[in-house]
Amino acid sequence: MTTLLLIDCQKDFHPGGSLAVPNADSDAERITQFIHQNATSIHRIVATMDSHHPLHIAHPSFWSDGQGNLPAPFTVISMEDVVEGRWIPREDVKPSARESLLIEDDILGGGIPSELYSTDETGNRQLNMKQWCIEYTRRLEAKGKFSLMIWPEHCLVGTEGQTVVRSICDAMMEWSRKTGGSVEWLNKGQNLLTENYSALCAEVPVTKKTSFNYELLESLKTSEKLIMCGQALSHCVQYTVRDIAEHWPNEEMGKLVVLKDCASTIPGFEDASDKFLSDMVSVGVNVETTETLTL
């Protein structure tokens, strides 16, 4: 079975979107053509969708300085910034009515600071948002991958920017009608207090929903060939593929394919993309283009 994993092929990551990736339109054209030309050879399509709310920890409106100013997009907020009060998180952030908790202690684990919660006058436990942000940035920085970066609001649930680029969406619908298959959709990023670059796991898992998705991984392992592409190469494509490769059987790495001409880099992160592709080649993942890959 050949599976096509399309990662965040959404309008906000394409020219005209709030977090546009240069060359993403050209990537979309190649993805569209690839689906059309190989429809009968693609047996399964899984499409991930970055899906955020405005008050997300990596969005400007979650934060302010002492004068009420919001951080500009691409501001980096360190643990020290939070400790020193240079950037202050909102204290009124609430879970949706369907979610009773933003954090599940048994999932967070790893020594939860006693200051993380306080008790109100009715005896209910309240999350201390500043303490959480200190803990979150500490855990991010301890992993050594990156610090918290503030992004422009993007892929807000229900907005045009969250939708898949029209040409790719049309190609997927045509694939469905032609083959009898149905696209599998996977939303990520709706928890307000953690980031979800990878489609399989949040950067800091805080609930069962944000923990590693072993069910998805095991279903992908049934593929004889797993082809991956989307936006952006430097971020969500990279960390999704890294998570898959890390948990993939060493003797079957040749089943994994990254289409490097169907994914582009956010400016300023070129070195990260180059290292990612080099790392994948070194462990046996195939880095191909739509011209070199045959199905």
Side-chain angles (χ1 to χ4, degrees):
M1 178 174 67
T2 296
T3 299
L4 178 60
L5 177 58
L6 296 175
I7 301 163
D8 300 1
C9 298
Q10 294 160 271
K11 291 184 178 179
D12 266 347
F13 296 127
H14 291 70
S18 63
L19 188 47
V21 180
N23 303 316
D25 277 351
S26 297
D27 298 334
E29 291 175 7
R30 285 185 283 269
I31 292 170
T32 298
Q33 186 177 30
F34 182 78
I35 296 172
H36 285 316
Q37 292 179 343
N38 297 282
T40 57
S41 298
I42 298 171
H43 306 105
R44 180 186 183 193
I45 296 179
V46 180
T48 73
M49 298 276 286
D50 217 24
S51 304
H52 297 306
H53 298 286
L55 295 181
H56 184 264
I57 197 166
H59 282 169
S61 54
F62 190 95
W63 300 89
S64 66
D65 63 12
Q67 288 71 49
N69 301 303
L70 307 185
F74 308 107
T75 296
V76 174
I77 296 180
S78 67
M79 184 182 76
E80 182 183 356
D81 290 332
V82 185
V83 171
E84 297 297 327
R86 287 190 283 271
W87 292 110
I88 304 166
R90 293 179 61 141
E91 287 289 350
D92 61 347
V93 175
K94 306 175 185 67
S96 68
R98 295 193 310 168
E99 297 176 305
S100 59
L101 294 172
L102 287 168
I103 296 175
E104 297 170 11
D105 290 355
D106 58 329
I107 300 297
L108 182 61
I112 300 172
S114 59
E115 304 87 356
L116 193 57
Y117 296 100
S118 60
T119 304
D120 64 19
E121 61 276 5
T122 62
N124 292 320
R125 196 171 66 157
Q126 299 291 324
L127 179 66
N128 183 314
M129 198 59 68
K130 178 176 179 177
Q131 290 300 323
W132 165 246
C133 291
I134 291 172
E135 181 65 10
Y136 180 73
T137 50
R138 183 191 70 78
R139 292 188 184 219
L140 270 187
E141 293 166 15
K143 294 174 70 174
K145 287 165 64 175
F146 43 70
S147 296
L148 173 63
M149 175 170 281
I150 302 302
W151 301 104
E153 288 189 356
H154 61 279
C155 298
L156 299 183
V157 176
T159 66
E160 182 73 10
Q162 190 206 12
T163 60
V164 171
V165 171
R166 174 49 56 188
S167 64
I168 296 176
C169 187
D170 288 346
M172 290 193 292
M173 298 307 107
E174 182 178 324
W175 169 84
S176 180
R177 297 184 187 100
K178 187 172 186 176
T179 67
S182 293
V183 175
E184 300 166 47
W185 300 95
L186 177 66
N187 292 326
K188 64 183 182 67
Q190 288 184 270
N191 189 290
L192 307 178
L193 300 185
T194 190
E195 298 165 278
N196 242 115
Y197 291 109
S198 169
L200 281 88
C201 189
E203 294 305 313
V204 178
V206 294
T207 63
K208 185 176 180 180
K209 287 182 179 180
T210 61
S211 299
F212 196 92
N213 191 338
Y214 285 101
E215 181 179 359
L216 173 62
L217 175 70
E218 292 305 315
S219 74
L220 294 175
K221 282 183 178 179
T222 63
S223 307
E224 285 303 311
K225 192 181 293 291
L226 174 58
I227 304 165
M228 297 166 283
C229 59
Q231 300 305 334
L233 181 67
S234 51
H235 288 77
C236 294
V237 172
Q238 173 181 184
Y239 293 114
T240 297
V241 175
R242 283 189 183 277
D243 270 353
I244 291 172
E246 183 180 345
H247 293 83
W248 202 264
N250 289 334
E251 66 276 11
E252 296 183 2
M253 283 295 184
K255 294 182 178 181
L256 302 180
V257 179
V258 176
L259 287 180
K260 67 178 181 179
D261 64 338
C262 294
S264 292
T265 295
I266 294 175
F269 293 90
E270 291 80 7
D271 288 348
S273 291
D274 291 344
K275 186 177 188 307
F276 158 59
L277 293 177
S278 176
D279 287 348
M280 292 303 97
V281 170
S282 71
V283 298
V285 174
N286 294 296
V287 177
E288 302 266 9
T289 69
T290 51
E291 292 183 350
T292 62
L293 179 64
T294 56
L295 298 184

